[in-house]
Amino acid sequence: MNTAKKDQTKHKVTSRDVAERAGVSRSAVSRSFTPGAYVSETIRKKVHIAAKDLGYLPNALARSLIGGGSSLVALIIGPMASPHDSLLIEAVTCKLAELGKRVLLVPVPATRVADDSLLEALSYQVEAAVVFAGTVGQQAAERCTRIGTRLILFGRVVDVPDTCCIIYDNVAAAQAAGRYLLRSGHRKIAYIGTRHNAFSDRERHAGLSHVLHEAGLEIHAFEKGDYGHDSGYQAALKMLGSMDPPDAIFSSNDGMALGAIDAARALGIRIPNDLAVIGIDNNPMGDWAAYRLTSWGLPADDIAKVIADEIIHKTAPENNDGDTDVDATANHPRTIRLPLTLTLRETTRRMTS
Amino acid sequence: MNTAKKDQTKHKVTSRDVAERAGVSRSAVSRSFTPGAYVSETIRKKVHIAAKDLGYLPNALARSLIGGGSSLVALIIGPMASPHDSLLIEAVTCKLAELGKRVLLVPVPATRVADDSLLEALSYQVEAAVVFAGTVGQQAAERCTRIGTRLILFGRVVDVPDTCCIIYDNVAAAQAAGRYLLRSGHRKIAYIGTRHNAFSDRERHAGLSHVLHEAGLEIHAFEKGDYGHDSGYQAALKMLGSMDPPDAIFSSNDGMALGAIDAARALGIRIPNDLAVIGIDNNPMGDWAAYRLTSWGLPADDIAKVIADEIIHKTAPENNDGDTDVDATANHPRTIRLPLTLTLRETTRRMTS
DNA sequence: GTGAAAGCGCTAACAT
DNA sequence: ATGTTAGCGCTTTCAC
């Protein structure tokens, strides 16, 4: 006939219930669940027992309402054409979990405009939003900075104060890839980009183009895919079947590079003897025995770390050590270019010179 | 000198601000943002203008607090060893977005126990939780049902009332795969499972074992991997390098099957002549020209639809038509077995008989 | 150290 | 149709 037992049945158990059962005030309950608060061990223990009995769980939503922050971070994602994307969001999710942040996953609609997804996220009071897909307009971006939500763009750039853009150092990587192929004796270097007119893609194209120009050459052939294996396959098929096929293909991502390799095989073209292939991302797939793709990339965990740092840096209360960090906001880098490293495998031949 | 303009600068803009600027009450603002509410067009328009001016966005967290539900669904995920996982969570995320639900992504720690992740999610008042990774204990599961949070397990089973388990029809698929290989003349059929002692995996193993027994055979060889390509590669290498290698390999997922194919190639074993390979998931990768893997599976979108239906079904207000649906809770299917279909490609040869 | 009271932003009765 | 009031679950001054 214990009245406390009755509550066990249905209704949502709140801090009031716990307070009642423990014979303390709601504040006491609150404090008992707040790490560094003034509560006697006696009460804290009583409360925790009552809480366990009742199956009490603090309501994170109500807690956020007060002002402690939602601990939510939005990840704005598109269709994960490349497996690399999923690796990345996984890495970021784990990293953020370690830091006590929760991830809100928001897909970008087919229109490929992320603005609405962003607002959606903002209405959930996310402390930061990381955009992996779609384009974001000035307005939406400014809105984020206005309400103090950290906005981080990955692989895309918008010039809005306080917005952080993280991108591969595409130009450098493309140039290095081009030079490498050049020195290996290739002269007919083709490029597989994407139809989405992505920022990163343009940079890669430009980088390759530039270094070829220096050598008095041009991009030998140019096709566009969608980052998927099959589109790389089709693109390569077209190039390799032409009257004047390339002797090297630089692909804007690994997925399409793998497709290109398969296309070459289908055509009986030998890799790397007749055709060299280089990708970007250094996806684990590239290491498979069937492909052994040479690729430029950066481990997903490293990227995740950069992103997480960027979120925390602005989310965390300003650490007033008072030295270098003063006004960190202002001189915080607007654009971070991640240097890529080359993983040499077997789709490129050793340099001749 | 317009005082309203001043607010443009910093502070979080609330419904009160909008109300003030539009010269109406906060309820009016609330109503203006609630689809089927009693507001005059005049006011609704005024409010929306003021809102746009101020950059107002309703606070979804505060809204949830009231009782409308958080619209949040948790996805409990582990390391996405198989690309199929990421395809699935993407499909589910999109499907839920269509239905007005938001996704909270919660990783399972290395311990592979999902209970804490689940509680984590519950504290965010998720309306449902879909578990893709890790094990969930009775207690945690019961807690979900107690507070009315729909719990859905994918690929794993817990016998708790009101908990829905969605799994492939593993036994049927494994048996069909076994029979297919048998009829194709194979007698030395090996199995690549996983070390995680996963529920689905055990079912597949049992199904294959059973059908082989019927034919007076046993599983010819058994190795365990981790769903990754490389583990399949290693497993197959071991099997194929033995004194008495298998003439067919049934793999618990496509990723490892691909690895097995690569291993066979490395060893100069011809597929499908000397070795047949069958996978599970029917991952897009299986369709790549370099593999053309025969596989049992179900499109990610179809799976997502089942999951979403399961969430909505219980989330939606009970439709009191008063006929079949009475006490829908009780006769709601506890376990849903998804039938898999066979996609025949080129890693299996046509049947001899 | 602890409780009472106020309030986060919003919505759902209840009046008008 | 609109404004007023109360309250969702929590935290946080502010007294004691």
Side-chain angles (χ1 to χ4, degrees), chain A residues 18-19 21-33 37-51:
Chain A
V18 178
R21 176 178 247 258
V24 297
S25 73
R26 295 168 66 214
S27 332
V29 175
S30 170
R31 286 193 265 258
S32 300
F33 278 94
Y38 283 148
V39 218
S40 64
E41 265 310 304
T42 333
I43 286 203
R44 169 165 266 143
K45 209 151 274 175
K46 267 202 294 186
V47 167
H48 273 145
I49 289 175

Side-chain angles (χ1 to χ4, degrees), chain A residues 146, chain B residues 3-11 13 17 20 54:
Chain A
R146 259 228 322 276
Chain B
T3 63
K5 281 275 153 150
K6 202 172 49 190
D7 282 337
Q8 205 89 350
T9 48
K10 194 57 199 265
H11 222 53
V13 28
D17 301 319
E20 233 164 62
L54 260 30

Side-chain angles (χ1 to χ4, degrees), chain A residues 15 26-27 30 56 59 63:
Chain A
S15 87
R26 295 168 66 214
S27 332
S30 170
Y56 169 73
N59 182 331
R63 188 176 273 196

Side-chain angles (χ1 to χ4, degrees), chain A residues 5 9 43 53 67 76 101 103-104 112 116 124 129-130 153 228 233 247 257 261 265-266 272 289 291 317-318:
Chain A
K5 282 272 152 149
T9 48
I43 286 203
D53 286 356
I76 316 283
K101 304 293 178 198
V103 165
L104 193 69
R112 297 197 50 79
D116 288 340
Y124 276 87
V130 188
L153 306 192
Y233 187 87
D247 59 14
I261 294 173
R265 282 185 186 141
Y291 293 102
E318 352 279 319

Side-chain angles (χ1 to χ4, degrees), chain A:
Chain A
M1 282 302 169
N2 201 329
T3 61
K5 282 272 152 149
K6 201 171 51 190
D7 282 334
Q8 204 90 350
T9 48
K10 194 56 199 267
H11 220 53
K12 213 155 266 181
V13 29
T14 84
S15 87
R16 194 198 313 283
D17 301 319
V18 178
E20 233 164 61
R21 176 178 247 258
V24 297
S25 73
R26 295 168 66 214
S27 332
V29 175
S30 170
R31 286 193 265 258
S32 300
F33 278 94
T34 308
Y38 283 148
V39 218
S40 64
E41 265 310 304
T42 333
I43 286 203
R44 169 165 266 143
K45 209 151 274 175
K46 267 202 294 186
V47 167
H48 273 145
I49 289 175
K52 186 143 284 183
D53 286 356
L54 260 31
Y56 169 73
L57 214 53
N59 182 331
L61 266 31
R63 188 176 273 196
S64 318
L65 201 50
I66 279 301
S70 65
S71 295
L72 252 26
V73 172
L75 261 40
I76 316 283
I77 61 158
M80 318 202 206
S82 152
H84 192 255
D85 295 346
S86 57
L87 251 32
L88 194 49
I89 78 139
E90 181 202 338
V92 172
T93 303
C94 290
K95 193 91 209 150
L96 289 176
E98 281 172 25
L99 299 167
K101 304 293 178 198
R102 258 20 96 212
V103 165
L104 193 69
L105 206 58
V106 187
V108 170
T111 61
R112 297 197 50 79
V113 176
D115 292 16
D116 288 340
S117 309
L118 211 44
L119 293 187
E120 183 69 51
L122 290 184
S123 81
Y124 276 87
Q125 313 301 109
V126 296
E127 297 178 352
V130 188
V131 179
F132 289 102
T135 59
V136 333
Q138 291 265 107
Q139 265 192 297
E142 275 160 9
R143 187 163 198 158
C144 289
T145 74
R146 259 228 322 276
I147 64 180
T149 293
R150 193 99 186 85
L151 178 59
I152 296 164
L153 306 192
F154 184 80
R156 48 222 353 101
V157 169
V158 163
D159 188 23
V160 172
D162 234 1
T163 295
C164 171
C165 303
I166 300 178
I167 52 178
Y168 287 163
D169 193 347
N170 294 298
V171 176
Q175 290 185 349
R179 290 213 182 87
Y180 184 87
L181 290 170
L182 250 19
R183 274 181 297 167
S184 306
H186 298 279
R187 286 296 172 271
K188 301 180 176 181
I189 301 172
Y191 178 70
I192 302 179
T194 81
R195 359 186 128 85
H196 296 310
N197 197 27
F199 184 84
S200 299
D201 186 46
R202 286 202 303 273
E203 285 196 332
R204 290 164 196 176
H205 184 275
L208 179 63
S209 183
H210 179 258
V211 77
L212 292 187
H213 269 109
E214 282 183 347
L217 296 170
E218 301 221 330
I219 290 181
H220 187 77
F222 178 27
E223 292 291 336
K224 299 181 178 188
D226 62 4
Y227 285 132
H229 177 279
D230 207 59
S231 71
Y233 187 87
Q234 300 300 340
L237 225 46
K238 197 163 163 190
M239 291 170 164
L240 297 171
S242 78
M243 300 291 288
D244 186 21
D247 59 14
I249 292 178
F250 177 52
S251 166
S252 192
N253 84 330
D254 282 358
M256 295 192 296
L258 262 38
I261 294 173
D262 284 333
R265 282 185 186 141
L267 262 29
I269 295 171
R270 307 210 35 177
I271 293 175
N273 298 333
D274 305 335
L275 180 74
V277 180
I278 296 186
I280 282 195
D281 276 349
N282 196 18
N283 196 285
M285 295 184 322
D287 203 35
W288 295 359
Y291 293 102
R292 305 286 308 149
L293 174 69
T294 291
S295 179
W296 288 86
L298 192 61
D301 284 338
D302 292 0
I303 302 173
K305 185 162 185 338
V306 173
I307 293 175
D309 281 350
E310 201 53 38
I311 291 171
I312 298 306
H313 215 258
K314 275 305 273 303
T315 290
E318 352 279 319
N319 54 339
N320 36 14
D321 296 347
D323 46 22
T324 62
D325 249 2
V326 180
D327 200 18
T329 307
N331 52 17
H332 205 69
R334 214 83 63 76
T335 296
I336 298 177
R337 293 194 171 266
L338 304 173
L340 267 27
T341 60
L342 179 64
T343 299
L344 228 42
R345 298 202 189 89
E346 294 154 28
T347 56
T348 46
R349 56 176 189 249
R350 297 295 151 171
M351 291 186 273
T352 54
S353 60

Side-chain angles (χ1 to χ4, degrees), chain B residues 15 26 30 56 59 63:
Chain B
S15 86
R26 296 168 65 216
S30 171
Y56 169 74
N59 182 331
R63 189 178 271 197

